[in-house]
Amino acid sequence: MALRGPVGPRRLPDWMATTALLLPAYAWLTLAVFLPLLTMFVFSFLNKTPMGQAPVEFTLRHYRAFIDQPYLLGVAWNTLMMGVWTTLICAVLGFLAALALVRCSFGRSREMLLVLILLPFWTNGLVRVFSWTMVLRENGFLDSLWHLVGDGSVGFLYSRPAIILGLVHGYLPYMILTCYIALVTIDDAVIEAAQSLGARWWTVLGSILIPLALPGLISGAVLTFVPVIGSFMEPRILGGPVGMTLGTVIEDQFTQAFNWPLGASLSFTLLAVVLAIFATFSGVLRRGTAGAS
Amino acid sequence: MTRLGLVFLGMVLLFLYTPILVLMAMGFNASPLYELPFEFSTRWYSDLMGNESLLTAGFNSIVLALITSVLATAIGTLAALALSRRHFRGRSLLQLLLLPPIAIPWLITGTAMLIFFFWTGIGRGMHALVIGHVALAVPYVVLVVGTGLQTVRADLEEAAMSLGSTPIHAFFAITLPLLFPSILGAALFAFAVSLDQFVVSYFLSSPGYVTLPVQIYSAIRKGFTPEINAISTLLLLGSMTVILIFARFARPGAPK
């Protein structure tokens, strides 16, 4: 605010104008997000869902769930592995695709390729997961391709690989984008200089491309891993009976078992993991998003 | 080397689009059990026209997305003006607070909203969905409009004020028209965010008010016919159109 016009009588003080501009959005977020998270935290200490007349008590029991119900440890492990595999596959494929975009396409065609890659990311995730059941089911699209060469069924719906496949399909566009943003800033001259000095392709890859793309890889990995460990409809639809994850257990507490306090404490445990991940990588993420805007 | 890269990109696109195209094709296949070989039929689209529950859910989704878009764009634009044009203490904290609705898994946000809305008596249904969807869309609006504001020079407004214009008049005469494409882009984006939202809607819908993705989810779990493919196709084409229009308004990296 270097220059000021003639101050009219209707002019509000600066701080009031700022507050008035910010209040609607932040009041809304408080009502819809911050207060609910706080309430959930309180709920996670109740001994039962507070309905009817029976008095409720505070307890730490639900945070002991992993000890009291050992099957939850297995579920947590499966969830973790689902996140690790999805993130790894996305990282490898996403990095290579971003590299191909940067090195092999130019101008309008590159822009079109980017739009084509990102388009599915902004369509309904549920419908995309559902679409994989059409491909993977017995006598589905995959089987009809297979029947051109062989017999029997190769469809693998309701298995862990099916869940991973659906999740990779969902988050790959994002990984390509974050890697692309990191790779596109690398000066061609750096690579040419290395090559003219005799560097082979693996040296260029290992000493220049991957280190310089690391912020993009890390932001992509965090932004894949976090939603994946909180997913429930992908394991539900593509995993069927073997698709039990923390997400589906939490969903069950709210829609089937009606044990809201247990659901809340599991949700909060998951949130703690998520926040720890964000805190660990906050520096990289901030630089990553600064590049995106 | 270049050819190898392009082949790889082609395979990635094939991977991304194959299931979507199969889904769409199966909406035109006559067999109710999705049996192949393919036999063309528009039966499922005509059945869809008589399917009250799917049509109502689709109508609900569009109305909800429109309401979300208008509200989120309004309050998000105001916040973006303050966050990118004004300097005050706590600004970076406020920017940080925009992240939870985007970054925390929707399962956590959705169940937290369910608990809070139940506990306060807000309950579930359309009003709860509006509260939830607007909160999820606002951060994106702030981001899109904030990016747009960087291209609108602040000194133009100051010049107008030094020539005797009031701040409000200067805003409406100069900044708003220049910012209009970004605001329109943000509105489209908010519309798409709401239209595609499933997880939070799932926890906040009431039996009497269901959105299309929630209806599709319950159909997937209880048994379904290719009508679901037909309506899914329409939903996919709808959000793709919205996003392509958005991309024309705010092309990433395009010269302004």
Side-chain angles (χ1 to χ4, degrees), chain A residues 124, chain B residues 48-49 51-67 126 129 133 191 194-197 205 208-217 227-228 230-232 234-236 238-239:
Chain A
N124 194 282
Chain B
L48 182 63
M49 291 307 128
N51 187 327
E52 195 103 350
S53 62
L54 277 179
L55 289 183
T56 310
F59 177 74
N60 289 347
S61 274
I62 291 172
V63 171
L64 181 64
L66 281 173
I67 296 173
M126 185 181 182
L129 284 162
H133 281 208
F191 185 88
S194 167
L195 194 65
D196 294 335
Q197 176 53 239
S205 318
Y209 192 90
V210 176
T211 67
L212 186 54
V214 177
Q215 188 72 27
I216 292 175
Y217 184 66
E227 276 173 78
I228 292 293
I231 191 99
S232 297
L234 297 178
L235 182 60
L236 285 175
S239 44

Side-chain angles (χ1 to χ4, degrees), chain A residues 173-194:
Chain A
Y174 207 88
M175 184 71 86
I176 296 178
L177 180 68
T178 58
C179 287
Y180 171 80
I181 290 168
L183 283 172
V184 83
T185 58
I186 298 176
D187 195 344
D188 279 349
V190 177
I191 295 163
E192 282 157 24

Side-chain angles (χ1 to χ4, degrees), chain A residues 19 45 54 62-63 82 92 120 179 185 220 237:
Chain A
T19 312
F45 294 105
H62 301 298
Y63 284 94
M82 180 174 82
V92 172
C179 287
T185 58
I237 294 170

Side-chain angles (χ1 to χ4, degrees), chain A residues 226 268-281, chain B residues 100 104:
Chain A
V226 164
F268 234 88
T269 311
L270 196 59
L271 182 61
V273 174
V274 167
L275 291 180
I277 294 171
F278 279 128
T280 311
F281 296 105
Chain B
I104 295 177

